[in-house]
Amino acid sequence: MIKRFRLILIPLALFIVYLLLPSNTVQLSAPSSAPLIKAVPNNWAEHQAANKQAIATHLKKHQEDYFAFAHFAVSQTDGIPYLILKLLPKVAPEFWGEGDNFLSVIGLYQDPRMGNYPMPSGIGISGLGRAEPLSNIDYASFTCGGCHIGRVRLENGDLRYLDGGINSEFNVILYRYKIVQTLNKLYAGEKDKEKQQQRVISALLTTLADSAQNNPHYFYNNYQHADTHFDAAYEKAQIELFRDNAKQHITAFIQQQENAYDGWKLIVERNYSGIETRAKLGYAGMEDAISFNSVNAYQGLKAAWYSAPFAPLALPNVAGITDIMAVWDQQSRDPLGWDEDETLLINGGGQWNGHIPMLFYKNLAAQVTLGFNDVDLRVSAHSERLLLNLPAPAYPFEVDVKLAKQGQILFAQNCAACHQDNNGHVYQQMGTHLGRAKIAGSITTLGAQSSFTGNCGPNTEITLSGKLVKPCAEYKGISLKGKSNQSMSNPKQHDGYNALPLVGIWAQAPYLHNGSVPTLYHLLLPSSRPDQFIKSRLDYDQENVGFAWDPSQTGKKGEGYLYDTAASDIIGHQGHDQDIRLDGQTFKLDWEDDRAGLNALLEYLKTL
């Protein structure tokens, strides 16, 4: 009883502290100047070529940053032991498939641009970032690129890679589920925990020995980057390091993975009423604000105060499911600067609800919510440099320039006031499910502010490109000392959705925050929205502007899955479906009575 009472007192005390905080900890307001309307290029083919060159130039300039974005493990000391990850298709090919492309079952693919990298794109290896590669076993974790390097299939069948885009195929929950499946297979019906662990240890060590004997380059593919050569000698040394503490590594792996999936199941049972079965398998191309931290969430949800009246202050009783976001051209989302007192960020936001204004902390949020004990801050710093000015890819198909210029006028009249650069205002009147907007409760926010600045505060130093830097010392020339409340905004300031700039909007289908509308045509013609459509295909629907979605049309075998928006209002396609009136002006959102205008507007949106 005393223990339970203490567990209640802790969040209650935090809540009282929160109530004492000023309500205006962050002011992310809309820009006061008129929005800048991007003009339609006169020659679309020339624009495509120039855009392709601009992206290539940017990536060449930021080679080191891009490599970290694509290949650096989130943590140097935590994650899944790399050797275990490589053994999964050996011990359970029925769940993972076989060969180097075994993670395609969760939407991670071999990227031919990566040379002989030993894993699919989206998996980082800690040895790549260590000064002394053999000072520890290698850990693997998802990289920034796992979520944010997308693909589209062109008319000739080639794939174009969308750096900074959306990997619509990636399913992190399915990854966790398949690991649990693999463990259950190795348990072979055994119920005793110690005997279960022993069976897994025996199976993995036996498979490890066989794999190393059959191919001295099985684990690292003789990969080389800079001065690090993952050759046979490195591979042998890593195997020896792992074997020295195999029981400890494997036991920790079992506990971490089972806790992670158990935590996700608790969240689903609490927040995903009506779609529990599907949610427990995950939705490719989507994420949940809590799910990535499910190890910690599992421990928290088991606490006595989970059912207390103020539990939503920590974990709101709503689903936080959203589509993965595109992260290119971050300058269009960042706050432009500070207020006159240099205490509050203004004119900018980001995320779906604007709650993490600064780019570095947006990146760090993606790292710390994986639940690792420590994170490699260089990942966030490199990503910040890469993404700030990374150009969005131009629409890769033809554009009717004349029609698009007509659409530009309609966009200026009906869309630009909200969908402008550096707009920090959030909107509640759009009719969309507000679950994601409310996911960061009061205690969550306080904890996040403490975690963010604890990991990276004004005095934190890291080595970046051979130089000591302080990535969290200042923002826009103003010191961040004493400004921890700027790392995540007060929930009172982000109770709604941020109207993001539409940079590269053609590649961000499906639409709305929960990916419930397959194309821009369906977004602007609400009566046409299908309840069910195929999500995560790579073919493109040029007429409706979005990825191929029609269940009646045959797609590439094994590509995409049926998304049923009628199954729950959590993933329902309501919202952005009625004309609205703001600040005395009416904005047209439903184009049912103006099909010509709809076609012109669609053509213009392709050019953004």
Side-chain angles (χ1 to χ4, degrees):
M1 182 68 181
I2 293 176
K3 184 177 180 181
R4 179 183 177 89
F5 184 65
R6 286 176 178 170
L7 287 168
I8 293 174
L9 280 180
I10 293 171
L12 180 59
L14 288 171
F15 179 50
I16 292 171
V17 170
Y18 172 76
L19 290 177
L20 297 176
L21 292 176
S23 62
N24 62 338
T25 53
V26 174
Q27 181 63 42
L28 298 174
S29 59
S32 57
S33 59
L36 177 67
I37 310 299
K38 296 180 181 178
V40 177
N42 291 322
N43 187 307
W44 187 247
E46 288 182 0
H47 174 75
Q48 287 176 316
N51 170 263
K52 193 173 182 180
Q53 182 58 52
I55 292 174
T57 299
H58 183 85
L59 294 181
K60 184 177 181 180
K61 178 181 177 182
H62 292 276
Q63 288 183 44
E64 183 183 3
D65 300 321
Y66 184 81
F67 188 85
F69 177 82
H71 294 317
F72 265 28
V74 168
S75 173
Q76 292 293 304
T77 60
D78 204 351
I80 180 172
Y82 175 74
L83 299 183
I84 292 180
L85 183 61
K86 285 286 285 189
L87 290 174
L88 293 179
K90 294 282 189 180
V91 297
E94 65 270 42
F95 302 137
W96 300 96
E98 300 182 57
D100 291 339
N101 211 27
F102 71 99
L103 289 178
S104 64
V105 295
I106 62 163
L108 296 182
Y109 49 83
Q110 296 293 129
D111 187 337
R113 302 175 302 167
M114 306 301 182
N116 67 326
Y117 189 68
M119 291 297 289
S121 175
I123 294 292
I125 305 171
S126 61
L128 286 168
R130 281 200 302 266
E132 297 292 336
L134 289 174
S135 61
N136 195 1
I137 68 165
D138 279 339
Y139 289 95
S141 61
F142 299 123
T143 69
C144 300
C147 285
H148 298 296
I149 299 178
R151 301 190 292 179
V152 61
R153 187 173 290 112
L154 304 180
E155 291 170 308
N156 63 2
D158 290 346
L159 291 172
R160 176 165 295 178
Y161 293 86
L162 308 174
D163 294 310
I166 301 160
N167 182 358
S168 64
E169 304 163 89
F170 182 38
N171 188 339
V172 67
I173 299 301
L174 187 60
Y175 162 79
R176 299 195 188 283
Y177 174 70
K178 285 183 174 292
I179 287 183
V180 171
Q181 278 186 304
T182 302
L183 291 173
N184 287 334
K185 174 193 174 180
L186 298 181
Y187 295 157
E190 179 59 62
K191 301 300 181 183
D192 181 82
K193 285 290 183 184
E194 287 191 13
K195 291 180 180 178
Q196 286 179 343
Q197 291 174 2
Q198 190 54 50
R199 289 191 176 191
V200 176
I201 292 169
S202 176
L204 290 178
L205 288 180
T206 299
T207 310
L208 174 65
D210 291 343
S211 300
Q213 183 177 5
N214 293 333
N215 181 1
H217 298 298
Y218 171 72
F219 291 98
Y220 291 92
N221 203 29
N222 201 25
Y223 179 71
Q224 184 170 3
H225 173 71
D227 296 329
T228 303
H229 190 184
F230 297 112
D231 56 12
Y234 181 94
E235 191 157 314
K236 182 179 179 181
Q238 275 291 321
I239 291 171
E240 290 174 355
L241 278 172
F242 180 81
R243 281 177 174 158
D244 287 344
N245 292 288
K247 182 177 180 180
Q248 175 186 334
H249 296 315
I250 295 173
T251 301
F253 157 72
I254 294 170
Q255 292 173 344
Q256 185 182 55
Q257 298 302 322
E258 289 188 332
N259 277 354
Y261 193 64
D262 284 344
W264 173 241
K265 288 192 295 184
L266 281 174
I267 291 167
V268 167
E269 290 161 6
R270 172 177 174 156
N271 294 339
Y272 284 82
S273 176
I275 54 173
E276 296 95 336
T277 300
R278 176 69 218 199
K280 287 177 182 177
L281 297 178
Y283 292 91
M286 305 191 76
E287 59 191 10
D288 182 278
I290 299 175
S291 70
F292 284 127
N293 198 21
S294 50
V295 177
N296 294 340
Y298 175 62
Q299 302 302 330
L301 290 171
K302 288 177 68 178
W305 57 268
Y306 168 64
S307 59
F310 43 80
L313 295 171
L315 298 176
N317 192 27
V318 288
I321 193 168
T322 67
D323 256 17
I324 295 171
M325 299 184 76
V327 294
W328 46 54
D329 192 33
Q330 288 291 301
Q331 63 178 344
S332 65
R333 304 181 188 182
D334 275 8
L336 290 178
W338 300 85
D339 65 356
E340 291 183 0
D341 296 330
E342 297 182 349
T343 58
L344 303 175
L345 290 168
I346 59 173
N347 297 342
Q351 310 299 80
W352 287 107
N353 56 358
H355 70 300
I356 306 178
M358 287 180 278
L359 176 52
F360 183 90
Y361 285 120
K362 293 176 198 174
N363 299 335
L364 184 59
Q367 291 188 256
V368 300
T369 53
L370 279 166
F372 294 153
N373 291 322
D374 81 323
V375 295
D376 186 347
L377 296 176
R378 294 172 302 168
V379 173
S380 288
H382 280 298
S383 295
E384 181 179 31
R385 294 198 311 196
L386 171 71
L387 301 175
L388 184 65
N389 298 297
L390 174 64
Y395 182 72
F397 308 105
E398 292 184 3
V399 166
D400 183 332
V401 170
K402 182 178 179 180
L403 184 61
K405 288 186 176 183
Q406 297 173 24
Q408 179 181 326
I409 298 171
L410 298 175
F411 181 87
Q413 295 170 345
N414 295 282
C415 314
C418 294
H419 292 288
Q420 57 180 293
D421 290 359
N422 312 108
N423 181 4
H425 187 69
V426 293
Y427 302 84
Q428 287 188 325
Q429 57 270 71
M430 304 307 296
T432 54
H433 189 277
L434 286 174
R436 179 60 182 85
K438 297 177 181 293
I439 203 63
S442 307
I443 295 174
T444 302
T445 299
L446 287 171
Q449 290 172 353
S450 176
S451 176
F452 290 166
T453 54
N455 276 282
C456 190
N459 296 319
T460 303
E461 287 187 335
I462 62 173
T463 301
L464 202 67
S465 303
K467 298 180 180 179
L468 277 178
V469 298
K470 294 182 178 182
C472 303
E474 63 177 41
Y475 180 78
K476 302 285 186 182
I478 303 300
S479 171
L480 291 175
K481 188 174 182 179
K483 297 184 176 71
S484 63
N485 58 6
Q486 301 301 291
S487 62
M488 179 184 277
S489 64
N490 190 311
K492 298 172 185 177
Q493 297 294 326
H494 57 73
D495 189 12
Y497 290 111
N498 197 203
L500 299 172
L502 304 183
V503 184
I505 191 62
W506 70 269
Q508 298 183 49
Y511 299 100
L512 296 185
H513 73 281
N514 59 3
S516 59
V517 179
T519 72
L520 287 173
Y521 171 85
H522 296 106
L523 182 72
L524 298 173
L525 196 67
S527 63
S528 70
R529 295 178 185 177
D531 286 338
Q532 295 183 333
F533 62 92
I534 302 297
K535 195 171 185 178
S536 299
R537 280 180 176 164
L538 301 182
D539 293 321
Y540 203 82
D541 182 346
Q542 298 178 47
E543 179 179 358
N544 296 309
V545 195
F547 289 91
W549 59 275
D550 192 341
S552 68
Q553 296 179 350
T554 303
K556 188 174 178 64
K557 185 178 180 180
E559 198 171 276
Y561 64 99
L562 187 68
Y563 193 58
D564 185 4
T565 67
S568 170
D569 62 349
I570 297 165
I571 55 175
H573 56 50
Q574 294 75 29
H576 205 285
D577 50 9
Q578 299 181 43
D579 296 351
I580 61 172
R581 190 167 180 82
L582 295 172
D583 300 326
Q585 182 178 353
T586 298
F587 298 95
K588 190 174 185 62
L589 302 184
D590 183 353
W591 293 78
E592 176 71 49
D593 61 353
D594 186 1
R595 297 300 183 96
L598 168 63
N599 291 334
L601 184 56
L602 285 174
E603 205 67 16
Y604 176 68
L605 292 173
K606 294 176 183 179
T607 71
L608 295 179

